[in-house]
Amino acid sequence: MDARGYRLGVDFGTSNTVAMLVWPDGHVRPLLFDGSPTLPSAVYADAQQGLLTGRDAMHAARISPERYEPNPKRRIDESAVLLGEHEIPTADLIAAVLARVAAEARRVSGGALGPATITCPAAWAQTRRSVLLAAAQRAGLGAVTLVPEPVAAAEVFRTMGGQNAPQARPGSAFVVYDLGAGTFDASVVRHGNGSFQVLSAEGLSTSGGLDIDASIVGYLGAVHGGHNPEAWRSLTHPATSAERRAHRLLWDDVRNAKEMLSRTSSTMIHVPALETDVPLGRDQLEQLARPILTATVTSTRAAIGAAGLAPSDIEGVFLVGGGSRIPLVATLLHQALGIAPTVVEQPELVVAQGAVGASAQFTTPNASAVVPPVPSSPPTTRASAAVPISAPPTPAPTSAVPVSGGDLPAAPVSPGFAATPVSAGPMSTTPLDAAPVSSNPVSGNPYGASPTSAGPVSGNYAGNHPVSAPPPASPRPPVTTHPLTTPARPLPQQPEQPRAKKRTGVLIAAALAVLLVLAGGAYGINQYLNRNTETGNSAGNGGDSTSSGSDETQADEDRPSPDWATTAEEFDEKAGTTIAYHCPNKGWIGTVYGTGVYTTSSSVCTAAVHDGRITLEDGGRVVIKIIQGQDSYEASLQHGINTTAYGPCPWAFQIIS
């Protein structure tokens, strides 16, 4: 079989790289990097073995994070990156990843390769594309064709069969929603005569799966980190090998929990340094992810507007990237655009798969222009294992010298979680302006490592932007303390009296003091007897009434054992009824609709945190009153709780204490 009949398509991503190989018989298969179709785009400069890529780079970074660059694609505008003691040209970092792909493709094909295609963001101009082309040449791929990522994705959906698949008729417009591990891109493409044209593109460099992971870690730190601040600090700022392992275990478990919650309603996350297991529900995940996903939907609407179109002009919405598997993505898009998104089984492979089919539509300019200088000795790479999408951030880059080294076997890992096609109906959304957590890589620091991706730190677990996670102790409304007495003003000086009159005055004062003590004692005994009598009467009546000395607000109904998902729906049509809920401590965030006035379908305990009455950590007694509902309910972010806007609802409640 002629090896030149093999064609290669590569999706060089911010966090992961995917490659598809077209065989001479026309079949398209993904390249597997030690058992996984995704290769981490990370690079590590090792003094003995050269530039390591993929899982090997991530593993080595635990010991020397200053030699590690997790996202070379984000450094495309820099001529070089400081790793260890030396600056490495950015084109060489990218070339190391592409060389790993080329080596695996040649191993599978048994020899030389035919034409290669690499995808890039639609918004990239000639300067960035030239760097990518130069890196491909250094990796041994020769002259390659560059294809915009949304065009490659649309090519796959164009060839999809099925009754419900959107039809790519000439002139029809589509939205490509690409949510990866590190970045987000929304593009509008129009189908012409056998090809696609990019009409507009919008992107967010700080919205991706890693940012959602960081929000979850921040939530864990806010709720549980305060129990042992030193242990939590060791997780967020690891300094030893053991702490780095714990840091990695935490982020791995968080990523796995996030992926599991796309299929189940709840899961557990183990927090290594605290040695505790924390429950996480889908409602909580959606609360944490909603600000990030809302920003992506806003960006998608902006892309449609920039193309001069309305949502009604869009024929279909295509979901691309591993992050698009989160069910809330399809829900928010469906509600915002009125179109049920189209999903494939493995959305992270779509762009690479379409790269080969779309390559014939494009011609690539010569890779000249503005390319970083070529080092005197080109870097060598070794095989590296891949990990699933949304790998945890490792403390950041600084430096190293590329030296040649031999290939070593890498440990296999399991592939990413299985996809679940989603076609979600409309539901309520939260109009938030909160920006997502930042996960921008930090430039090299010769003095030490600093966290690269968005890892939370104590006190501010989502960068400088609010997310739907509670602070360690939600602030209560300020209490004004009134003094019981006012300071006494100094008495005017009196002329000195004879000694006998002074003694008489002392005796009179002492007598008055004795009378006051006796009167106070009698009053105290009387009050004590009255209190005992009232307590006995209350016990005799079954304990239904509260002592007259209690400060607790009376309630018609009592719910002594609610959980943090309990709603007030059982009291619909009972206007005026007051109910007391005893919310347990160490709570979790449930769904809440409204602000001040909440729908009865809201989590009562979470609404009380939002209203500033109790905290997640301590819980407490809450009394609500059922009232007639409203035509609309506003969303807001208060005390770390992000509520959802809602339309007409006939019954609601207010928190009265």
PDB file of all heavy atoms in Angstrom, residues 458-484:
ATOM      1  N   SER A 458      -6.600  31.370  48.139  1.00  0.00           N
ATOM      2  CA  SER A 458      -7.449  31.629  49.289  1.00  0.00           C
ATOM      3  C   SER A 458      -7.970  33.050  49.253  1.00  0.00           C
ATOM      4  O   SER A 458      -7.261  33.983  48.938  1.00  0.00           O
ATOM      5  CB  SER A 458      -6.632  31.414  50.566  1.00  0.00           C
ATOM      6  OG  SER A 458      -5.525  32.269  50.568  1.00  0.00           O
ATOM      7  N   GLY A 459      -9.258  33.176  49.548  1.00  0.00           N
ATOM      8  CA  GLY A 459      -9.882  34.479  49.610  1.00  0.00           C
ATOM      9  C   GLY A 459     -10.484  34.941  48.304  1.00  0.00           C
ATOM     10  O   GLY A 459     -11.433  35.675  48.290  1.00  0.00           O
ATOM     11  N   ASN A 460      -9.927  34.510  47.172  1.00  0.00           N
ATOM     12  CA  ASN A 460     -10.495  34.925  45.883  1.00  0.00           C
ATOM     13  C   ASN A 460     -10.409  33.740  44.955  1.00  0.00           C
ATOM     14  O   ASN A 460      -9.424  33.517  44.288  1.00  0.00           O
ATOM     15  CB  ASN A 460      -9.702  36.103  45.325  1.00  0.00           C
ATOM     16  CG  ASN A 460     -10.289  36.618  44.041  1.00  0.00           C
ATOM     17  OD1 ASN A 460     -11.298  36.097  43.571  1.00  0.00           O
ATOM     18  ND2 ASN A 460      -9.662  37.633  43.463  1.00  0.00           N
ATOM     19  N   TYR A 461     -11.430  32.900  44.967  1.00  0.00           N
ATOM     20  CA  TYR A 461     -11.339  31.609  44.320  1.00  0.00           C
ATOM     21  C   TYR A 461     -11.687  31.630  42.855  1.00  0.00           C
ATOM     22  O   TYR A 461     -11.745  30.595  42.232  1.00  0.00           O
ATOM     23  CB  TYR A 461     -12.230  30.604  45.054  1.00  0.00           C
ATOM     24  CG  TYR A 461     -13.632  31.076  45.290  1.00  0.00           C
ATOM     25  CD1 TYR A 461     -14.619  30.940  44.341  1.00  0.00           C
ATOM     26  CD2 TYR A 461     -13.947  31.718  46.495  1.00  0.00           C
ATOM     27  CE1 TYR A 461     -15.895  31.393  44.583  1.00  0.00           C
ATOM     28  CE2 TYR A 461     -15.212  32.171  46.738  1.00  0.00           C
ATOM     29  CZ  TYR A 461     -16.172  31.999  45.778  1.00  0.00           C
ATOM     30  OH  TYR A 461     -17.439  32.440  46.009  1.00  0.00           O
ATOM     31  N   ALA A 462     -11.933  32.764  42.260  1.00  0.00           N
ATOM     32  CA  ALA A 462     -12.237  32.815  40.826  1.00  0.00           C
ATOM     33  C   ALA A 462     -11.595  34.027  40.191  1.00  0.00           C
ATOM     34  O   ALA A 462     -12.193  34.796  39.488  1.00  0.00           O
ATOM     35  CB  ALA A 462     -13.736  32.842  40.599  1.00  0.00           C
ATOM     36  N   GLY A 463     -10.294  34.220  40.466  1.00  0.00           N
ATOM     37  CA  GLY A 463      -9.656  35.385  39.899  1.00  0.00           C
ATOM     38  C   GLY A 463     -10.265  36.634  40.483  1.00  0.00           C
ATOM     39  O   GLY A 463     -10.543  36.741  41.662  1.00  0.00           O
ATOM     40  N   ASN A 464     -10.505  37.627  39.641  1.00  0.00           N
ATOM     41  CA  ASN A 464     -11.137  38.864  40.090  1.00  0.00           C
ATOM     42  C   ASN A 464     -12.589  38.947  39.684  1.00  0.00           C
ATOM     43  O   ASN A 464     -13.185  40.000  39.671  1.00  0.00           O
ATOM     44  CB  ASN A 464     -10.380  40.069  39.500  1.00  0.00           C
ATOM     45  CG  ASN A 464      -8.989  40.164  40.061  1.00  0.00           C
ATOM     46  OD1 ASN A 464      -8.791  39.876  41.233  1.00  0.00           O
ATOM     47  ND2 ASN A 464      -8.017  40.548  39.244  1.00  0.00           N
ATOM     48  N   HIS A 465     -13.182  37.812  39.282  1.00  0.00           N
ATOM     49  CA  HIS A 465     -14.540  37.838  38.786  1.00  0.00           C
ATOM     50  C   HIS A 465     -15.426  36.972  39.648  1.00  0.00           C
ATOM     51  O   HIS A 465     -15.034  35.901  40.070  1.00  0.00           O
ATOM     52  CB  HIS A 465     -14.570  37.331  37.343  1.00  0.00           C
ATOM     53  CG  HIS A 465     -13.615  38.054  36.461  1.00  0.00           C
ATOM     54  ND1 HIS A 465     -13.765  39.372  36.118  1.00  0.00           N
ATOM     55  CD2 HIS A 465     -12.470  37.645  35.850  1.00  0.00           C
ATOM     56  CE1 HIS A 465     -12.777  39.744  35.323  1.00  0.00           C
ATOM     57  NE2 HIS A 465     -11.985  38.718  35.150  1.00  0.00           N
ATOM     58  N   PRO A 466     -16.648  37.391  39.883  1.00  0.00           N
ATOM     59  CA  PRO A 466     -17.535  36.589  40.726  1.00  0.00           C
ATOM     60  C   PRO A 466     -18.026  35.357  40.016  1.00  0.00           C
ATOM     61  O   PRO A 466     -18.310  35.369  38.835  1.00  0.00           O
ATOM     62  CB  PRO A 466     -18.701  37.552  41.004  1.00  0.00           C
ATOM     63  CG  PRO A 466     -18.678  38.502  39.863  1.00  0.00           C
ATOM     64  CD  PRO A 466     -17.255  38.625  39.441  1.00  0.00           C
ATOM     65  N   VAL A 467     -18.083  34.257  40.728  1.00  0.00           N
ATOM     66  CA  VAL A 467     -18.734  33.054  40.228  1.00  0.00           C
ATOM     67  C   VAL A 467     -19.747  32.624  41.267  1.00  0.00           C
ATOM     68  O   VAL A 467     -19.810  33.159  42.360  1.00  0.00           O
ATOM     69  CB  VAL A 467     -17.734  31.913  39.959  1.00  0.00           C
ATOM     70  CG1 VAL A 467     -16.773  32.294  38.874  1.00  0.00           C
ATOM     71  CG2 VAL A 467     -16.989  31.545  41.214  1.00  0.00           C
ATOM     72  N   SER A 468     -20.542  31.611  40.899  1.00  0.00           N
ATOM     73  CA  SER A 468     -21.621  31.205  41.790  1.00  0.00           C
ATOM     74  C   SER A 468     -21.121  30.277  42.867  1.00  0.00           C
ATOM     75  O   SER A 468     -21.564  29.161  42.987  1.00  0.00           O
ATOM     76  CB  SER A 468     -22.718  30.527  40.992  1.00  0.00           C
ATOM     77  OG  SER A 468     -23.149  31.346  39.966  1.00  0.00           O
ATOM     78  N   ALA A 469     -20.129  30.685  43.631  1.00  0.00           N
ATOM     79  CA  ALA A 469     -19.643  29.890  44.736  1.00  0.00           C
ATOM     80  C   ALA A 469     -19.656  30.741  45.978  1.00  0.00           C
ATOM     81  O   ALA A 469     -19.360  31.920  45.925  1.00  0.00           O
ATOM     82  CB  ALA A 469     -18.235  29.389  44.457  1.00  0.00           C
ATOM     83  N   PRO A 470     -20.000  30.177  47.119  1.00  0.00           N
ATOM     84  CA  PRO A 470     -20.135  30.983  48.329  1.00  0.00           C
ATOM     85  C   PRO A 470     -18.796  31.352  48.913  1.00  0.00           C
ATOM     86  O   PRO A 470     -17.848  30.585  48.808  1.00  0.00           O
ATOM     87  CB  PRO A 470     -20.895  30.037  49.282  1.00  0.00           C
ATOM     88  CG  PRO A 470     -20.524  28.686  48.815  1.00  0.00           C
ATOM     89  CD  PRO A 470     -20.337  28.778  47.330  1.00  0.00           C
ATOM     90  N   PRO A 471     -18.649  32.526  49.513  1.00  0.00           N
ATOM     91  CA  PRO A 471     -17.434  32.865  50.222  1.00  0.00           C
ATOM     92  C   PRO A 471     -17.333  32.037  51.491  1.00  0.00           C
ATOM     93  O   PRO A 471     -18.299  31.435  51.933  1.00  0.00           O
ATOM     94  CB  PRO A 471     -17.627  34.356  50.545  1.00  0.00           C
ATOM     95  CG  PRO A 471     -19.108  34.537  50.582  1.00  0.00           C
ATOM     96  CD  PRO A 471     -19.657  33.568  49.584  1.00  0.00           C
ATOM     97  N   PRO A 472     -16.127  31.975  52.096  1.00  0.00           N
ATOM     98  CA  PRO A 472     -15.973  31.151  53.293  1.00  0.00           C
ATOM     99  C   PRO A 472     -17.008  31.447  54.359  1.00  0.00           C
ATOM    100  O   PRO A 472     -17.476  30.570  55.041  1.00  0.00           O
ATOM    101  CB  PRO A 472     -14.557  31.501  53.754  1.00  0.00           C
ATOM    102  CG  PRO A 472     -13.863  31.965  52.515  1.00  0.00           C
ATOM    103  CD  PRO A 472     -14.913  32.606  51.662  1.00  0.00           C
ATOM    104  N   ALA A 473     -17.375  32.674  54.507  1.00  0.00           N
ATOM    105  CA  ALA A 473     -18.454  32.994  55.454  1.00  0.00           C
ATOM    106  C   ALA A 473     -19.229  34.153  54.875  1.00  0.00           C
ATOM    107  O   ALA A 473     -18.744  35.262  54.800  1.00  0.00           O
ATOM    108  CB  ALA A 473     -17.889  33.371  56.822  1.00  0.00           C
ATOM    109  N   SER A 474     -20.414  33.857  54.403  1.00  0.00           N
ATOM    110  CA  SER A 474     -21.201  34.898  53.749  1.00  0.00           C
ATOM    111  C   SER A 474     -21.500  36.014  54.729  1.00  0.00           C
ATOM    112  O   SER A 474     -21.916  35.772  55.859  1.00  0.00           O
ATOM    113  CB  SER A 474     -22.510  34.306  53.223  1.00  0.00           C
ATOM    114  OG  SER A 474     -22.251  33.281  52.318  1.00  0.00           O
ATOM    115  N   PRO A 475     -21.265  37.266  54.306  1.00  0.00           N
ATOM    116  CA  PRO A 475     -21.466  38.376  55.247  1.00  0.00           C
ATOM    117  C   PRO A 475     -22.920  38.537  55.623  1.00  0.00           C
ATOM    118  O   PRO A 475     -23.796  38.429  54.780  1.00  0.00           O
ATOM    119  CB  PRO A 475     -20.952  39.587  54.447  1.00  0.00           C
ATOM    120  CG  PRO A 475     -21.076  39.170  53.020  1.00  0.00           C
ATOM    121  CD  PRO A 475     -20.836  37.692  53.006  1.00  0.00           C
ATOM    122  N   ARG A 476     -23.151  38.755  56.893  1.00  0.00           N
ATOM    123  CA  ARG A 476     -24.510  39.029  57.351  1.00  0.00           C
ATOM    124  C   ARG A 476     -24.787  40.515  57.213  1.00  0.00           C
ATOM    125  O   ARG A 476     -23.884  41.336  57.151  1.00  0.00           O
ATOM    126  CB  ARG A 476     -24.652  38.625  58.827  1.00  0.00           C
ATOM    127  CG  ARG A 476     -24.371  37.169  59.108  1.00  0.00           C
ATOM    128  CD  ARG A 476     -25.437  36.271  58.525  1.00  0.00           C
ATOM    129  NE  ARG A 476     -25.207  34.892  58.885  1.00  0.00           N
ATOM    130  CZ  ARG A 476     -25.722  34.305  59.967  1.00  0.00           C
ATOM    131  NH1 ARG A 476     -26.492  34.995  60.760  1.00  0.00           N
ATOM    132  NH2 ARG A 476     -25.486  33.044  60.216  1.00  0.00           N
ATOM    133  N   PRO A 477     -26.064  40.915  57.199  1.00  0.00           N
ATOM    134  CA  PRO A 477     -26.371  42.348  57.181  1.00  0.00           C
ATOM    135  C   PRO A 477     -25.804  43.019  58.419  1.00  0.00           C
ATOM    136  O   PRO A 477     -25.802  42.438  59.510  1.00  0.00           O
ATOM    137  CB  PRO A 477     -27.911  42.377  57.196  1.00  0.00           C
ATOM    138  CG  PRO A 477     -28.332  41.040  56.694  1.00  0.00           C
ATOM    139  CD  PRO A 477     -27.262  40.094  57.139  1.00  0.00           C
ATOM    140  N   PRO A 478     -25.279  44.220  58.257  1.00  0.00           N
ATOM    141  CA  PRO A 478     -24.665  44.884  59.414  1.00  0.00           C
ATOM    142  C   PRO A 478     -25.677  45.129  60.520  1.00  0.00           C
ATOM    143  O   PRO A 478     -26.835  45.425  60.277  1.00  0.00           O
ATOM    144  CB  PRO A 478     -24.160  46.204  58.819  1.00  0.00           C
ATOM    145  CG  PRO A 478     -24.985  46.406  57.586  1.00  0.00           C
ATOM    146  CD  PRO A 478     -25.276  45.041  57.061  1.00  0.00           C
ATOM    147  N   VAL A 479     -25.224  44.948  61.713  1.00  0.00           N
ATOM    148  CA  VAL A 479     -26.084  45.135  62.879  1.00  0.00           C
ATOM    149  C   VAL A 479     -25.644  46.393  63.613  1.00  0.00           C
ATOM    150  O   VAL A 479     -24.455  46.569  63.894  1.00  0.00           O
ATOM    151  CB  VAL A 479     -25.984  43.919  63.828  1.00  0.00           C
ATOM    152  CG1 VAL A 479     -26.845  44.144  65.056  1.00  0.00           C
ATOM    153  CG2 VAL A 479     -26.404  42.661  63.095  1.00  0.00           C
ATOM    154  N   THR A 480     -26.579  47.270  63.891  1.00  0.00           N
ATOM    155  CA  THR A 480     -26.275  48.499  64.620  1.00  0.00           C
ATOM    156  C   THR A 480     -26.494  48.267  66.107  1.00  0.00           C
ATOM    157  O   THR A 480     -27.578  47.884  66.534  1.00  0.00           O
ATOM    158  CB  THR A 480     -27.178  49.651  64.148  1.00  0.00           C
ATOM    159  OG1 THR A 480     -27.018  49.786  62.730  1.00  0.00           O
ATOM    160  CG2 THR A 480     -26.825  50.942  64.841  1.00  0.00           C
ATOM    161  N   THR A 481     -25.464  48.477  66.862  1.00  0.00           N
ATOM    162  CA  THR A 481     -25.540  48.247  68.307  1.00  0.00           C
ATOM    163  C   THR A 481     -25.809  49.570  69.009  1.00  0.00           C
ATOM    164  O   THR A 481     -25.065  50.538  68.811  1.00  0.00           O
ATOM    165  CB  THR A 481     -24.227  47.650  68.822  1.00  0.00           C
ATOM    166  OG1 THR A 481     -23.965  46.462  68.085  1.00  0.00           O
ATOM    167  CG2 THR A 481     -24.310  47.341  70.297  1.00  0.00           C
ATOM    168  N   HIS A 482     -26.876  49.607  69.805  1.00  0.00           N
ATOM    169  CA  HIS A 482     -27.235  50.818  70.550  1.00  0.00           C
ATOM    170  C   HIS A 482     -26.800  50.673  71.995  1.00  0.00           C
ATOM    171  O   HIS A 482     -27.124  49.684  72.653  1.00  0.00           O
ATOM    172  CB  HIS A 482     -28.751  51.041  70.507  1.00  0.00           C
ATOM    173  CG  HIS A 482     -29.257  51.197  69.108  1.00  0.00           C
ATOM    174  ND1 HIS A 482     -29.121  52.355  68.386  1.00  0.00           N
ATOM    175  CD2 HIS A 482     -29.883  50.300  68.293  1.00  0.00           C
ATOM    176  CE1 HIS A 482     -29.653  52.205  67.187  1.00  0.00           C
ATOM    177  NE2 HIS A 482     -30.118  50.965  67.103  1.00  0.00           N
ATOM    178  N   PRO A 483     -26.081  51.634  72.520  1.00  0.00           N
ATOM    179  CA  PRO A 483     -25.659  51.550  73.922  1.00  0.00           C
ATOM    180  C   PRO A 483     -26.864  51.606  74.853  1.00  0.00           C
ATOM    181  O   PRO A 483     -27.847  52.270  74.587  1.00  0.00           O
ATOM    182  CB  PRO A 483     -24.751  52.774  74.090  1.00  0.00           C
ATOM    183  CG  PRO A 483     -25.193  53.714  73.008  1.00  0.00           C
ATOM    184  CD  PRO A 483     -25.651  52.866  71.867  1.00  0.00           C
ATOM    185  N   LEU A 484     -26.766  50.846  75.911  1.00  0.00           N
ATOM    186  CA  LEU A 484     -27.863  50.819  76.878  1.00  0.00           C
ATOM    187  C   LEU A 484     -27.911  52.099  77.708  1.00  0.00           C
ATOM    188  O   LEU A 484     -28.965  52.529  78.152  1.00  0.00           O
ATOM    189  CB  LEU A 484     -27.707  49.618  77.801  1.00  0.00           C
ATOM    190  CG  LEU A 484     -27.807  48.265  77.091  1.00  0.00           C
ATOM    191  CD1 LEU A 484     -27.565  47.155  78.103  1.00  0.00           C
ATOM    192  CD2 LEU A 484     -29.176  48.098  76.436  1.00  0.00           C
TER     193      LEU A 484
END
